[in-house]
């Protein structure tokens, strides 16, 4: 078990003021069997006209609201303390949905080389898939975008953690292993990270194909879903003709008990 | 009726006058066309209609019960009636809708059920449209006009009055309305192919025609914003924007047609969304096969209306039958809509048939096969002569109103579409078909 | 449920422009009929002046194609058909406010002009008069079928702005401008926030018969500029 202080900061600047700005954030560690939120705080600037909160259908906390008056920046800070225990997460019957292709994880014939021929448990196969994804791909920033599908990233053999996770999910599902996407934070990395949870023998296990590692209790999940499309950390829509630039910094530090 | 046929030109002038057009994109250019009207009405005798009406109410009740079940207990899956992969692999299934209780438990407020009449006089269901079924405005306006140009026809024949559709719709919107807000019809805009219908229904029901950008969500309540920033609460949205574009923060982020955070307001029960999110799972071509089973399962009744005989390659028996009889079947691609993914085995060359077979072997879940129904043709006027053409009927069933039958009503009318091409079985208006008035007889 | 008379900013904008374009069509038709009349007496200078004031005549090689162009040429923004198309662009967005029968008085001119343009029919007085009748029927239909004061006022504001603008451009008598402007001031009383107060005040101050008849082109341009900025919708 570990306890972490986390701080997630994001600031968006608009080249000209915008108005009627609706937004939705996923900025809290997910509360589930693995993670307990000890304290948390969210500040949004400028203060929105309305702010509500709830959960998405995968259990992640959402905060959403509306800012009517013209403003030229939008920023928020989410910070708190979270207690994390190691994987696995027990689940007797995972939803069949995690075996189905999703929009960004459609399997491509080209990815067949990543399917392990070995015998073994789903967990062992998934480990093999994770290591094949890692060796097939090169970690290169800015060649893929948030919209890039698994098939596209694989054809480039380049991408970032989101792409690694999508390819691994696609191959796992094709091999009959339930798999889901996780977006979260890890200490020492200044931005959000993505990894995969696979289901084997009555529980979900965390695997990180980008690092080629098994996830430990330093992996703090924010949102989960079929693919990255279910887990955007921030979305906004506004009236106004502005170019926007967003800077996001996250920091996670292990705290002394 | 003869006077009605003779006054065809007059009818067309009235259609022009009312701007009854639908938009089409050809090579990227937007054009508006008239939906060709044929003045020979389709006549449905009372005894046929009585059966259709009962059967349609039954079917739509079962479909609404299915939608509730799928997004809650899922007992139809647990009891082994519908295999779960048919639900979860359907593009229309939305996990976001799990556990949401729509107002009055109604999912499909306006259902457009497509039927055909066989040569033997039996009616068959072709498909259910539970998302945004369009076309009700055409028979409404056709009747308004034909009554004007040929009043004697309507004096001499005992035809059910169909001018009550706006009242049926308004009653349903008022009954579903949350928080005594206003009713709006949300259109994607004037370049949508059905824009005429959106604006016409708004006029006739007294709802406000709303465009993208007219509404905002604050504190889980939907507001319509006025000229001087005054706000009124919206209680019911008859939306003509599809699920994925309806809330850019919950679904397709690039959508400019939606209302941001509408999904959250809907989830809280603060606004009626007509029809609900997630209905696509029940009108999926693969799920169609199971609708008669739903009638038995949820209502404990024998289905009154029948599907066209349908085979699912998913089941071994059906798989073998399809591969052996593919030449006489019609094959539908479950993953496509709009009439483009429909192939008649008899139209294919032996090579193409083999190709299709191997596609079915590869992905059995992707296809359904049906016996070709020998449609009863309808007479239409082509130039100066009468010819026979294939036609279907879209019946409109409104659920969630205040009346009897649990608030389910079948509109005594419907959209009869015919194919102008004599060889074609496809009557889709996007593929150049025309329409007729549909007379439901009172005696 | 209470469907109050709330009107969105975009509908208000469409009402204003529908008012402007219907008035423009009406006045263009009026001017074209005057042209036909003057052509009888055969003084090219006289009707040439009218034609060039409407604008866009340099696009055409001869007299006949000028007349045809001013009625049926969609590529000429000053043509009658272009103005009716713009009426339609706004009117179709307003079916629920102005009602289908009213919209019909835009649809019929549009269809007639499109057909005549397509079939190469020369503009004639019958066609122009039919169009004029429909434009008048449009306003009659508004009067009969629309009871929302704000909808009527916004349409009327558009109509009056266009009326004054065209009268200034064509040098009509001052009393016509004065009449229309006092009507506009009445609209301002009922819908004050639709107006740019500074522009309206300056217009009120500037409007005098003496200055108007002096032929000062700078004065005229200032009037037109203020008219274009008098309404904020």
């Amino acid at each position: 078990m570990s306890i972490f202080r986390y701080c997630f900061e994001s600031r968006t600047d608009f080249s000209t003021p915008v108005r009627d700005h609706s937004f939705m954030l996923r900025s809290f560690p997910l509360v589930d069997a693995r993670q307990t939120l000890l304290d948390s705080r969210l500040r949004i600037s400028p203060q929105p006209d309305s702010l509500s909160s709830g959960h998405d259908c995968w259990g992640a906390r959402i905060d959403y609201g509306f800012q009517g008056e013209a403003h030229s920046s939008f920023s928020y800070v989410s910070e708190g303390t979270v207690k994390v225990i190691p994987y696995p997460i027990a689940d007797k019957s995972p939803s069949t949905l995690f075996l189905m292709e999703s929009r960004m994880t459609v399997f491509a014939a080209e990815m067949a080389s990543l399917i392990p021929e070995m015998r073994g448990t789903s967990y062992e196969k998934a480990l093999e898939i994770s290591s094949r994804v890692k060796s097939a791909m090169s970690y290169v920033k800015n060649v893929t975008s948030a919209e890039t599908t698994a098939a596209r990233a694989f054809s480039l053999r380049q991408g970032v953690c989101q792409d690694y996770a999508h390819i691994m999910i696609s191959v796992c599902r094709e091999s009959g292993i339930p798999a889901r996407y996780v977006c979260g934070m890890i200490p020492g990395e200044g931005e959000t990270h993505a990894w995969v949870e696979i289901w084997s023998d009555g529980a979900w296990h965390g695997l990180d194909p980008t690092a080629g590692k098994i996830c430990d209790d330093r992996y703090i999940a924010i949102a989960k879903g079929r693919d990255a499309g279910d887990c955007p950390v921030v979305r906004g829509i506004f009236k106004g003709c502005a170019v926007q630039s967003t800077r996001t910094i996250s920091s996670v530090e292990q705290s002394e008990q | 009726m003869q006077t009605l046929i003779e006054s065809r030109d007059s009818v067309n002038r009235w259609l022009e006058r009312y701007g009854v057009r639908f938009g089409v994109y050809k090579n990227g250019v937007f054009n508006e066309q008239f939906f060709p009207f044929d003045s020979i009405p389709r006549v449905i005798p009372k005894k046929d209609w009585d059966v259709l009406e009962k059967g349609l109410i039954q079917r739509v009740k079962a479909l609404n019960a299915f939608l509730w079940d799928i997004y809650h207990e899922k007992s139809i899956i647990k009891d082994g009636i519908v295999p779960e992969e048919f639900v979860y692999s359907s593009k229309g299934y939305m996990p976001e809708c799990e556990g949401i209780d729509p107002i009055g438990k109604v999912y499909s407020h306006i259902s457009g059920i497509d039927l055909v009449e066989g040569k033997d006089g039996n009616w068959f269901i072709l498909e259910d449209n539970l998302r945004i079924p369009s076309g009700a405005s055409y028979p409404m306006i056709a009747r308004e006009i034909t009554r004007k140009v040929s009043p004697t026809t309507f004096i001499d024949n005992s035809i059910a009055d169909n001018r009550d559709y706006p009242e049926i719709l308004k009653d349903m919107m008022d009954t579903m309305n949350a928080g005594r807000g206003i009713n709006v019809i949300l259109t994607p805009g004037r370049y949508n192919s059905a824009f005429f219908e959106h604006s016409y229904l708004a006029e006739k029901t007294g709802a406000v025609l709303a465009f993208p950008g007219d509404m905002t969500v604050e504190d889980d309540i939907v507001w319509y914003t006025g000229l001087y920033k005054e706000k009124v609460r919206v209680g019911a949205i008859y939306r003509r924007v599809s699920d994925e574009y309806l809330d850019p923060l919950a679904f397709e982020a690039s959508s400019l047609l939606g209302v941001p955070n509408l999904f959250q307001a809907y989830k809280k029960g603060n606004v009626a969304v007509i029809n609900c999110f997630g209905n696509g799972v029940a009108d999926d071509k693969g799920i169609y096969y199971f609708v008669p089973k739903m009638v038995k399962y949820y209502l404990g009744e024998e289905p009154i209306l029948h599907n066209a005989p349908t085979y699912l390659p998913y089941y071994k028996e059906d798989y073998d039958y399809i591969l052996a009889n593919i030449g006489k079947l019609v094959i539908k691609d479950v993953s496509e809509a709009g009439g483009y993914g429909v192939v008649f085995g008899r139209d294919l060359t032996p090579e193409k048939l083999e190709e299709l077979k191997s596609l079915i072997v590869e992905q059995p879940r992707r296809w359904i096969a049906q016996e070709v129904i020998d449609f009863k043709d309808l007479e239409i006027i082509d130039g100066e002569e009468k010819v026979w053409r294939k036609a279907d009927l879209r019946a409109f069933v409104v659920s969630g109103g205040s009346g009897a039958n649990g608030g389910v009503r079948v509109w005594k009318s419907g959209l009869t579409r015919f194919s102008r091409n004599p060889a074609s079985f496809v009557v889709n208006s996007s593929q150049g078909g025309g329409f007729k008035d549909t007379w439901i007889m009172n005696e | 449920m209470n469907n109050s008379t709330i009107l969105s900013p975009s509908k208000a904008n469409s009402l204003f422009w529908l008012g402007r374009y219907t008035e423009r069509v009406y006045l263009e038709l009026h001017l074209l009929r005057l042209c036909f009349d003057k052509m009888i007496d055969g003084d090219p200078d006289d009707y040439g002046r009218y034609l060039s004031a409407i604008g866009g005549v340099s696009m055409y090689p001869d007299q006949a194609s000028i007349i045809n162009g001013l009625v049926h040429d969609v590529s000429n923004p000053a043509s009658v058909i272009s103005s009716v198309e713009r009426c339609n662009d706004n009117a179709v967005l307003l079916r629920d406010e102005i009602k289908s029968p009213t919209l019909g008085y835009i649809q019929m001119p549009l269809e007639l002009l499109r057909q005549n343009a397509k079939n190469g029919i020369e503009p004639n007085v019958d066609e122009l008069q039919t169009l004029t009748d429909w434009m008048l029927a449009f306003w009659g239909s508004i009067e009969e079928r629309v009871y929302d004061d704000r909808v009527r006022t916004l349409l009327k504001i558009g109509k009056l702005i266009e009326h004054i603008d065209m009268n200034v451009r064509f040098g009509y008598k001052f009393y016509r401008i004065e009449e229309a402007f006092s009507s506009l001031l009445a609209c301002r009383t009922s819908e004050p926030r639709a107006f740019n107060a500074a522009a309206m005040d300056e217009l009120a101050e500037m409007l005098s018969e003496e200055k108007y008849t002096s032929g000062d082109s700078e004065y005229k341009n200032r009037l037109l500029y203020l008219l274009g900025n008098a309404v904020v919708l």
Side-chain angles (χ1 to χ4, degrees):
Chain A
M1 183 201 75
S2 302
I3 291 177
F4 298 95
R5 292 279 316 148
Y6 69 89
C7 178
F8 190 86
E9 273 188 81
S10 169
R11 182 187 167 92
T12 301
D13 288 296
F14 303 103
S15 57
T16 59
V18 302
R19 62 190 174 82
D20 289 354
H21 182 171
S22 298
F23 58 86
M24 177 177 285
L25 317 176
R26 285 179 177 78
S27 68
F28 284 70
L30 202 137
V31 175
D32 61 9
R34 237 184 106 236
Q35 304 187 155
T36 312
L37 207 49
L38 301 178
D39 64 83
S40 63
R41 204 149 52 114
L42 171 68
R43 279 168 300 155
I44 300 174
S45 165
Q47 181 67 35
D49 298 341
S50 74
L51 181 63
S52 312
S53 67
H55 293 88
D56 69 17
C57 65
W58 321 100
R61 157 89 178 234
I62 50 174
D63 291 272
Y64 54 96
F66 178 78
Q67 175 63 268
E69 291 302 311
H71 53 287
S72 41
S73 75
F74 176 80
S75 55
Y76 65 94
V77 181
S78 172
E79 54 187 340
T81 315
V82 60
K83 185 173 85 179
V84 186
I85 60 168
Y87 277 104
I89 303 169
D91 182 358
K92 274 194 214 113
S93 53
S95 168
T96 308
L97 206 53
F98 296 119
L99 274 173
M100 298 288 167
E101 277 184 344
S102 60
R103 199 166 54 89
M104 303 178 89
T105 63
V106 175
F107 186 77
E110 203 191 356
M111 285 151 42
S113 62
L114 303 178
I115 300 176
E117 313 75 17
M118 58 191 277
R119 294 165 154 272
T121 62
S122 294
Y123 182 71
E124 288 161 350
K125 286 182 188 162
L127 268 179
E128 175 63 18
I129 294 169
S130 173
S131 92
R132 289 192 188 188
V133 171
K134 181 167 171 58
S135 46
M137 296 287 291
S138 317
Y139 189 92
V140 183
K141 283 189 175 180
N142 302 323
V143 291
T144 54
S145 75
E147 306 303 319
T148 306
T149 62
R152 172 76 187 138
F154 187 70
S155 73
L156 295 167
R157 300 292 195 282
Q158 291 181 338
V160 295
C161 55
Q162 171 177 316
D163 306 301
Y164 281 64
H166 279 162
I167 296 166
M168 174 165 168
I169 289 167
S170 179
V171 178
C172 284
R173 291 179 184 164
E174 182 69 17
S175 315
I177 306 167
R180 64 191 182 195
Y181 184 94
V182 189
C183 164
M185 303 177 271
I186 49 174
E189 220 170 287
E191 43 196 26
T192 56
H193 189 56
W195 62 94
V196 178
E197 286 179 358
I198 64 97
W199 188 87
S200 178
D201 302 313
W204 292 96
H205 304 264
L207 297 176
D208 180 350
T210 313
K213 287 203 317 200
I214 298 166
C215 300
D216 55 24
D217 59 6
R218 302 176 328 119
Y219 283 73
I220 306 166
I222 294 173
K224 297 179 186 180
R226 291 162 293 184
D227 57 37
D230 288 332
C231 314
V233 293
V234 57
R235 269 191 184 177
I237 188 156
F238 48 78
K239 288 183 184 159
C241 206
V243 180
Q244 51 176 327
S245 58
T246 302
R247 272 179 306 130
T248 305
I249 306 161
S250 73
S251 70
V252 180
E253 282 165 27
Q254 188 141 12
S255 97
E256 299 300 319
Q257 272 267 250
Chain B
M1 201 192 289
Q2 199 51 38
T3 56
L4 183 57
I5 295 164
E6 283 157 5
S7 48
R8 185 162 50 124
D9 291 344
S10 173
V11 171
N12 283 323
R13 274 197 305 279
W14 278 93
L15 287 169
E16 265 176 36
R17 181 183 185 120
Y18 282 151
V20 185
R21 294 182 164 95
F22 69 97
V24 223
Y25 281 95
K26 249 185 208 154
N27 309 322
V29 180
F30 179 79
N31 267 303
E32 283 181 324
Q33 295 179 357
F34 293 109
F35 192 5
F37 174 73
D38 185 76
S39 45
I40 308 176
R42 157 184 254 159
V43 178
I44 300 181
K46 181 170 166 30
K47 65 169 180 38
D48 281 27
W49 181 256
D50 288 348
V51 176
L52 287 177
E53 189 172 32
K54 280 203 191 78
L56 288 164
I57 290 176
Q58 181 192 55
R59 190 171 177 103
V60 168
K61 278 186 173 171
L63 286 163
N64 268 314
F66 173 72
L67 281 161
W68 174 273
D69 189 24
I70 285 306
Y71 290 121
H72 294 83
E73 304 81 14
K74 300 181 182 50
S75 43
I76 201 165
I77 296 176
K78 290 175 192 150
D79 289 340
I81 314 286
V82 177
E84 62 175 353
E85 51 264 60
F86 278 83
V87 171
Y88 294 124
S89 67
S90 161
K91 283 195 168 64
Y93 167 75
M94 293 172 79
E96 294 87 347
C97 294
E98 286 289 345
I100 294 177
D101 300 353
I103 295 169
K105 292 193 176 186
V106 181
Y107 282 85
S108 184
H109 307 85
I110 302 158
S111 311
I113 312 293
D114 293 347
L115 304 114
V116 287
E117 189 181 8
K119 282 221 167 92
D120 55 4
N122 283 318
W123 288 87
F124 293 97
I125 307 279
L126 273 192
E127 63 181 37
D128 306 292
N129 296 279
L130 311 180
R131 285 164 292 168
I132 313 176
S134 65
S137 59
Y138 297 106
M140 283 167 76
I141 199 145
R143 186 68 61 85
E144 197 177 322
I145 293 169
T146 50
R147 283 176 70 97
K148 274 193 227 288
V149 301
S150 180
T152 52
T153 306
F154 292 86
I155 296 169
D156 300 343
N157 294 284
S158 180
I159 303 157
D161 195 346
N162 76 347
R163 291 172 302 162
D164 56 355
Y165 192 65
E167 286 147 53
I168 298 175
L169 265 189
K170 183 177 187 307
D171 169 63
M172 180 271 288
M173 286 194 270
D174 287 349
T175 310
M176 291 291 114
N177 193 297
R180 300 186 65 76
I182 60 168
N183 296 327
V184 307
I185 296 181
L186 174 64
T187 176
R190 77 164 288 201
Y191 295 111
N192 182 274
S193 63
F195 179 72
F196 158 75
E197 174 157 308
H198 309 158
S199 64
Y200 186 68
L201 291 177
E203 177 192 357
K204 294 294 172 186
T205 59
V208 172
L209 182 66
F211 293 81
D214 287 349
M215 289 183 278
T216 56
V217 175
E218 288 182 68
D219 299 315
D220 293 321
I221 307 261
V222 185
W223 303 96
Y224 182 86
T225 311
L227 179 52
Y228 305 122
K229 300 206 168 160
E230 69 278 25
K231 288 181 173 170
V232 291
R233 180 168 176 175
V234 177
I237 303 176
Y238 175 12
R239 48 78 175 238
R240 300 294 298 250
V241 172
S242 56
D243 283 355
E244 62 269 40
Y245 297 110
L246 196 48
D247 178 351
L249 297 183
F251 307 107
E252 180 54 53
S254 64
S255 171
L256 300 175
L257 305 178
V259 182
N261 287 326
L262 171 61
F263 189 70
Q264 309 306 326
Y266 163 72
K267 200 162 141 182
K268 294 266 161 69
N270 289 339
V271 67
V273 174
I274 295 164
N275 292 348
C276 285
F277 286 93
N279 285 6
V281 67
D283 67 9
D284 186 285
K285 285 194 176 74
I287 292 290
Y288 162 88
Y289 175 88
F290 299 100
V291 180
K293 295 176 194 287
M294 290 174 200
V295 171
K296 282 186 207 153
Y297 183 77
Y298 293 114
L299 310 177
E301 296 169 9
E302 280 304 310
I304 298 166
L305 293 173
H306 301 286
N307 279 357
T310 304
Y311 308 95
L312 288 188
Y314 172 84
Y315 293 115
K316 178 75 174 83
E317 204 178 304
D318 287 8
Y319 177 89
D320 293 341
Y321 179 85
I322 294 166
L323 293 186
N325 295 283
I326 194 158
K328 66 165 191 149
L329 296 173
V330 48
I331 314 293
K332 294 183 177 177
D333 185 344
V334 171
S335 59
E336 281 188 72
Y340 291 96
V342 178
V343 186
F344 287 81
R346 60 169 184 230
D347 297 342
L348 299 182
T349 60
E351 298 79 55
K352 287 279 174 197
L353 267 183
E354 286 309 311
E355 209 174 279
L356 184 57
K357 272 191 192 174
S358 60
L359 283 173
I360 295 171
V361 171
E362 244 170 67
Q363 283 184 289
R365 169 64 187 87
R366 191 179 151 189
W367 308 90
I368 63 168
Q370 288 175 333
E371 299 289 351
V372 177
I373 299 172
D374 207 359
F375 286 28
K376 185 189 265 182
D377 290 359
L378 294 183
E379 243 183 335
I380 70 157
I381 299 172
D382 188 14
E384 292 308 311
E385 51 172 0
K386 286 185 183 173
V387 294
W388 296 89
R389 290 290 181 269
K390 303 290 172 216
D392 73 352
L393 171 69
R394 173 167 292 180
F396 291 90
V397 184
V398 177
S399 306
S402 63
N405 273 320
V408 185
R409 273 179 84 170
V410 186
W411 180 33
K412 286 199 174 176
S413 185
L415 175 65
T416 294
R417 294 174 300 182
F418 58 88
S419 101
R420 286 202 290 176
N421 172 357
S424 175
F425 277 72
V426 182
V427 295
N428 225 319
S429 48
S430 56
Q431 298 193 359
F435 80 106
K436 285 170 169 293
D437 195 4
T438 308
W439 290 359
I440 313 298
M441 304 311 288
N442 276 335
E443 34 195 73
Chain C
M1 309 294 136
N2 169 30
N3 278 339
S4 62
T5 56
I6 191 158
L7 200 63
S8 70
S10 64
K11 275 189 183 158
N13 180 275
S14 298
L15 283 165
F16 170 71
W17 284 102
L18 178 59
R20 281 200 75 152
Y21 278 112
T22 46
E23 181 67 4
R24 185 173 304 177
V25 172
Y26 178 78
L27 292 174
E28 277 171 356
L29 290 165
H30 167 76
L31 292 165
L32 279 163
R33 269 196 314 278
L34 271 180
C35 268
F36 277 127
D37 190 59
K38 300 231 182 255
M39 281 166 97
I40 297 168
D41 305 325
D43 182 353
D45 281 352
D46 218 359
Y47 57 81
R49 191 168 61 84
Y50 277 97
L51 292 177
S52 53
I54 295 175
V57 287
S58 56
M59 302 162 72
Y60 309 103
D62 54 50
Q63 214 72 62
S65 57
I66 287 176
I67 297 284
N68 189 56
L70 287 176
V71 179
H72 290 150
D73 185 355
V74 282
S75 68
N76 179 358
S79 69
V80 177
I81 191 170
S82 292
S83 298
V84 175
E85 290 277 4
R86 298 294 83 73
C87 287
N88 184 54
D89 287 345
N90 290 289
V92 293
L93 304 176
L94 296 164
R95 185 188 292 270
D96 54 329
E97 302 293 341
I98 63 173
K99 313 301 172 200
S100 285
T102 311
L103 183 55
Y105 293 109
I106 304 295
Q107 292 289 323
M108 288 187 287
L110 184 66
E111 208 47 42
L112 178 71
L113 285 162
R114 282 179 179 173
Q115 288 304 322
N116 285 354
K118 198 173 103 188
N119 300 327
I121 292 172
E122 291 282 306
N124 57 70
V125 172
D126 275 349
E127 181 191 6
L128 299 189
Q129 187 58 46
T130 305
L131 293 169
T132 297
D133 293 345
W134 280 331
M135 296 326 287
L136 291 170
F138 167 83
W139 286 101
S141 186
I142 293 287
E143 191 62 29
E144 285 294 335
R145 295 186 170 97
V146 179
Y147 289 95
D148 184 321
D149 285 334
R150 178 176 283 172
V151 169
R152 294 164 65 121
T153 305
L154 292 172
L155 277 168
K156 195 171 170 194
I157 292 171
K159 176 188 158 96
L160 290 167
I161 293 276
E162 187 66 24
H163 185 88
I164 300 171
D165 179 281
M166 291 279 273
N167 275 279
V168 171
R169 269 178 218 282
F170 287 92
Y172 272 73
K173 294 238 158 56
F174 183 71
Y175 78 91
R176 287 170 173 260
I177 288 155
E178 204 175 27
E179 273 173 359
F181 190 73
S182 75
S183 191
L184 192 62
L185 288 177
C187 294
R188 188 185 176 184
T189 313
S190 56
E191 211 56 55
R193 287 184 289 181
F195 289 90
N196 171 345
M200 282 298 282
D201 293 345
E202 191 179 337
L203 269 175
E205 217 168 284
M206 279 178 75
L207 282 175
S208 83
E209 179 147 25
E210 198 185 325
K211 285 189 216 152
Y212 181 77
T213 44
S214 71
D216 177 357
S217 69
E218 213 169 283
Y219 171 81
K220 191 171 153 179
N221 288 339
R222 183 71 189 162
L223 280 185
L224 292 173
Y225 171 82
L226 289 171
L227 277 170
N229 289 280
V231 172
V232 282
L233 284 174

